[in-house]
Amino acid sequence: MDFLAMLTPEQLATLPYLFDFWAMPHQIAPRGDWRTWVILGGRGAGKTRAGAEWVRSMVEGARPHACGAARRVALVGETMDQAREVMVFGDSGILSVCPPDRRPDWIAGRRLLVWPNGAEAQVFSAHDPDSLRGPQFDAVWADELAKWRKGGEAWDMLQFALRLGDSPRACVTTTPRKSQMLRELLDQDTTVVTHAPTQANRANLAASFLQEIEGRYGGTSLGRQEMDGVMLTEVEGALWSARDLARCQVADAPALDRIVVAIDPPGTSHAGSDACGIIVAGVCMQGNVQDWHAVVLDDASMSAARPTAWAEAAIGAMRRHGADRLVAEVNQGGDMVEVVVRGVDPLVSYRSVHASKGKIARAEPIAALYEQGRVSHLRGLSALEEQMAQMTIRGFEGTGSPDRVDALVWALYDLMIEPAAKWRNPSIRTL
């Protein structure tokens, strides 16, 4: 308040247009020699405002009629209507953020903004890549690029058109949906990235909106994409598709007849060891065994230098969820796994399992349960779901070891696969 009291009426009038004063870190263009700046963000994170203000910074000079760094700008949205209504006329669009003495005129027939200094910005639709063949620009603002159905073609045409001036640049504002073209753009050496979740802009968003989306989507894969602005990974040949994982989300678990905690212990015990997968799941045993339905309740996986730490975490998960049994893979730890676990709780109901098949062979029947709609997930399992999306018929294509998925497989094997197998053939004992 003391600062505002020092300002003159003229200075107060200009304050809303000093974006550097109000901007959040992810809305400020990075320094350095880059060609494309990608702003990844959740819904309502301020991406549109950042894009509009970047256009301002490129076209405006020191005075209303002075030239800026850019004279010819392309504004490209998924469709013509979206580009016009969001990028030009939207609440955070160009016309809203420009001060009165520098506000451009809109020429509807030409889909063109013209600034007092002569700079121009033309609106294009990514649905029509050929419309970008003739023009040339020194700046581009591309909005929601990950949604463009003809993204590869439109972006390629933009690269050929972005050829004016000493340092032509593009700003991309998008929620990071799965897009091969966006992934390739992010991997380029000439691309810089800033990122922010929806919560970063909470001061400008309705509290009821934040409460609603957090309650409905918090901890889900969709929430990580649309709220946290995280690029989810889905690879070709994945055993679990994004659609299957989205479809299996539930808010609450039904009454469960049996609950287990499964652990995939790390092979070594030091600071750089793999994580210990710890998954809690239960089963509703109504009807015949082939009609049972499982629910994954919790992911308590952790990295720990001491074996007793992951054992304590697993026992703690059993107590929190009232689990009936602890299931542990012992391929690497052997009898020592049980010794460690019983050192924490001597009376724990414990079962060791030994893998006789590879990870993918073990995971495939579990993936089939998801395809049949026989497994649900409580929200909050996004880290597990990211690993699941990277399990393919060729192997695990993520980094490190799929510890969470291994534990999931053992939990659902104990709850679903083994009972069904024994019902068909009582001699089946291992996976």
Side-chain angles (χ1 to χ4, degrees):
M1 294 300 293
D2 291 340
F3 168 72
L4 295 177
M6 296 169 55
L7 301 180
T8 65
E10 292 77 12
Q11 290 171 330
L12 284 171
T14 62
L15 194 57
Y17 302 104
L18 300 178
F19 189 60
D20 286 348
F21 180 81
W22 300 103
M24 295 174 283
H26 72 279
Q27 295 176 308
I28 300 296
R31 297 180 179 180
D33 184 19
W34 49 266
R35 181 174 173 85
T36 306
W37 170 30
V38 179
I39 307 172
L40 296 177
R43 299 284 188 92
K47 303 185 298 296
T48 303
R49 178 66 185 272
E53 292 285 0
W54 180 79
V55 171
R56 264 193 68 196
S57 71
M58 294 295 289
V59 302
E60 289 184 1
R63 296 180 180 277
H65 293 277
C67 294
R71 301 285 292 171
R72 301 283 296 277
V73 182
L75 308 175
V76 189
E78 181 184 11
T79 67
M80 191 66 70
D81 287 345
Q82 290 176 1
R84 183 180 61 247
E85 297 304 318
V86 175
M87 303 172 77
V88 177
F89 289 98
D91 291 340
S92 299
I94 292 172
L95 292 178
S96 296
V97 304
C98 288
D101 62 339
R102 304 177 189 220
R103 186 168 294 140
D105 293 324
W106 171 248
I107 304 175
R110 299 178 61 193
R111 303 188 303 274
L112 189 70
L113 287 170
V114 181
W115 274 261
N117 65 4
E120 299 180 352
Q122 189 171 359
V123 174
F124 294 90
S125 167
H127 276 328
D128 185 13
D130 285 340
S131 66
L132 296 164
R133 285 184 176 274
Q136 54 184 351
F137 312 101
D138 45 19
V140 168
W141 174 21
D143 188 48
E144 292 298 350
L145 180 143
K147 292 173 59 181
W148 294 2
R149 294 185 181 179
K150 298 182 179 179
E153 297 175 58
W155 186 252
D156 287 343
M157 291 300 100
L158 277 173
Q159 299 316 294
F160 287 114
L162 192 59
R163 58 180 184 258
L164 295 181
D166 296 329
S167 180
R169 289 182 163 184
C171 174
V172 175
T173 52
T174 188
T175 302
R177 295 187 177 189
K178 297 181 181 71
S179 164
Q180 183 62 30
M181 187 268 296
L182 177 59
R183 195 176 305 281
E184 292 173 357
L185 176 60
L186 295 175
D187 289 339
Q188 292 180 8
D189 294 337
T190 54
T191 299
V192 294
V193 181
T194 59
H195 168 267
T198 299
Q199 284 285 349
N201 197 31
R202 59 187 176 276
N204 298 310
L205 301 172
S208 58
F209 163 76
L210 293 172
Q211 183 177 3
E212 177 69 14
I213 64 169
E214 186 62 40
R216 294 189 64 178
Y217 305 110
T220 68
S221 296
L222 183 62
R224 282 179 62 77
Q225 174 180 282
E226 300 293 330
M227 295 161 53
D228 297 339
V230 173
M231 173 74 79
L232 302 182
T233 302
E234 184 173 14
V235 294
E236 184 179 355
L239 296 183
W240 286 274
S241 69
R243 178 179 298 180
D244 288 340
L245 293 174
R247 185 177 57 187
C248 75
Q249 304 288 329
V250 294
D252 301 293
L256 298 170
D257 299 297
R258 186 165 175 269
I259 297 174
V260 301
V261 174
I263 62 175
D264 177 50
T268 57
S269 300
H270 55 76
S273 297
D274 291 332
C276 176
I278 305 174
I279 298 296
V280 185
V283 63
C284 181
M285 303 165 65
Q286 301 300 313
N288 295 325
V289 66
Q290 60 266 34
D291 298 323
W292 292 2
H293 189 92
V295 181
V296 183
L297 303 170
D298 194 8
D299 177 3
S301 304
M302 63 175 300
S303 297
R306 296 179 299 105
T308 53
W310 54 254
E312 289 168 354
I315 297 298
M318 287 190 70
R319 292 169 180 167
R320 286 196 308 274
H321 293 278
D324 302 285
R325 174 184 284 175
L326 181 67
V327 179
E329 180 184 328
V330 297
N331 279 51
Q332 299 188 73
D335 294 341
M336 185 58 66
V337 175
E338 182 175 2
V339 172
V340 173
V341 169
R342 295 203 180 279
V344 176
D345 184 349
L347 301 180
V348 66
S349 175
Y350 172 89
R351 178 195 178 194
S352 64
V353 289
H354 189 281
S356 59
K357 300 179 181 178
K359 293 180 185 293
I360 302 306
R362 299 199 304 271
E364 284 181 327
I366 304 301
L369 294 176
Y370 283 80
E371 292 179 6
Q372 297 162 8
R374 297 180 60 196
V375 183
S376 298
H377 281 197
L378 290 187
R379 292 171 184 158
L381 304 174
S382 55
L384 167 64
E385 290 162 1
E386 284 187 37
Q387 278 196 359
M388 294 170 69
Q390 296 175 81
M391 292 290 290
T392 77
I393 57 177
R394 299 176 300 276
F396 180 59
E397 299 197 1
T399 58
S401 176
D403 313 285
R404 301 169 193 269
V405 177
D406 285 342
L408 170 77
V409 167
W410 288 119
L412 295 181
Y413 171 76
D414 190 88
L415 293 171
M416 300 279 282
I417 299 297
E418 187 178 56
K422 286 187 174 180
W423 177 70
R424 292 189 298 267
N425 185 352
S427 67
I428 296 178
R429 298 177 57 86
T430 62
L431 181 61

